[in-house]
């Protein structure tokens, strides 16, 4: 998040601050690479996580960020039905009906970190 914010801020930086800002961006990128390396090593040590990660990465549109998020915040993955998983993450439309009132179906609740990462 911080890296994206800083890259967006780069467009409004003046020439005087440009060099300093580039050093900050490099520091963020270096730190992100370090964290991803640590995550890779931790996942490789755990056989079940490694297997799940490999299966997740086969699916088009799933990268390392989503795979790590699912492994960390959605351990039930693979043990639930499609509908149960969608409801648990907060992607299933929930009706707002009461008696004769028919409300809109909206998605809400669930695990925000997983839902947010899936939308990205």
């Amino acid at each position: 998040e911080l890296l994206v914010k800083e890259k967006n801020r780069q467009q409004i930086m003046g020439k005087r601050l440009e060099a300093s800002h580039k050093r900050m961006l490099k520091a963020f990128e270096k730190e992100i690479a370090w964290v991803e390396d640590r995550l890779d090593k931790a996942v490789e040590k755990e056989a079940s996580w490694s297997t799940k990660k490999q299966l997740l990465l086969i699916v088009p549109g799933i990268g390392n960020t989503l795979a790590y998020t699912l492994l960390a915040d959605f351990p039930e993955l693979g043990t639930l039905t499609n509908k149960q998983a969608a409801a648990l993450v907060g992607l299933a439309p929930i009706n707002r009906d009461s008696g004769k009132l028919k409300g809109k179906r909206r998605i809400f609740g669930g695990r925000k970190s997983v839902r947010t990462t899936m939308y990205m």
Side-chain angles (χ1 to χ4, degrees):
E1 273 183 45
L2 287 174
L3 181 63
V4 171
K5 287 179 183 179
E6 290 303 321
K7 283 184 177 181
N8 290 338
R9 232 178 260 156
Q10 186 176 17
Q11 297 170 359
I12 61 170
M13 287 284 162
K15 292 291 181 185
R16 291 182 184 173
L17 298 175
E18 189 174 338
S20 173
H21 195 256
K22 284 184 179 181
R23 285 193 306 272
M24 263 184 27
L25 289 176
K26 284 183 183 179
F28 279 135
E29 289 168 353
K30 185 178 177 182
E31 192 67 22
I32 289 169
W34 180 81
V35 169
E36 286 178 349
D37 183 54
R38 297 283 308 254
L39 284 171
D40 279 337
K41 289 178 182 175
V43 168
E44 290 302 319
K45 286 182 182 177
E46 186 67 37
S48 63
W49 288 357
S50 181
T51 305
K52 280 185 180 182
K53 180 186 172 199
Q54 295 306 318
L55 286 172
L56 287 168
L57 292 177
I58 293 171
V59 177
I62 294 184
N64 283 332
T65 303
L66 181 55
Y68 290 138
T69 302
L70 291 173
L71 288 172
D73 295 337
F74 195 46
E76 303 88 357
L77 187 65
T79 62
L80 304 173
T81 66
N82 295 345
K83 289 182 180 182
Q84 289 172 330
L88 188 58
V89 173
L91 296 174
I94 307 296
N95 59 0
R96 301 281 294 178
D97 299 343
S98 177
K100 293 183 179 182
L101 175 69
K102 298 282 185 189
K104 289 187 176 185
R105 274 75 175 142
R106 298 200 172 148
I107 61 171
F108 65 92
R111 297 186 179 153
K112 184 178 181 184
S113 61
V114 177
R115 187 177 62 249
T116 302
T117 307
M118 291 182 95
Y119 276 118
M120 291 296 156

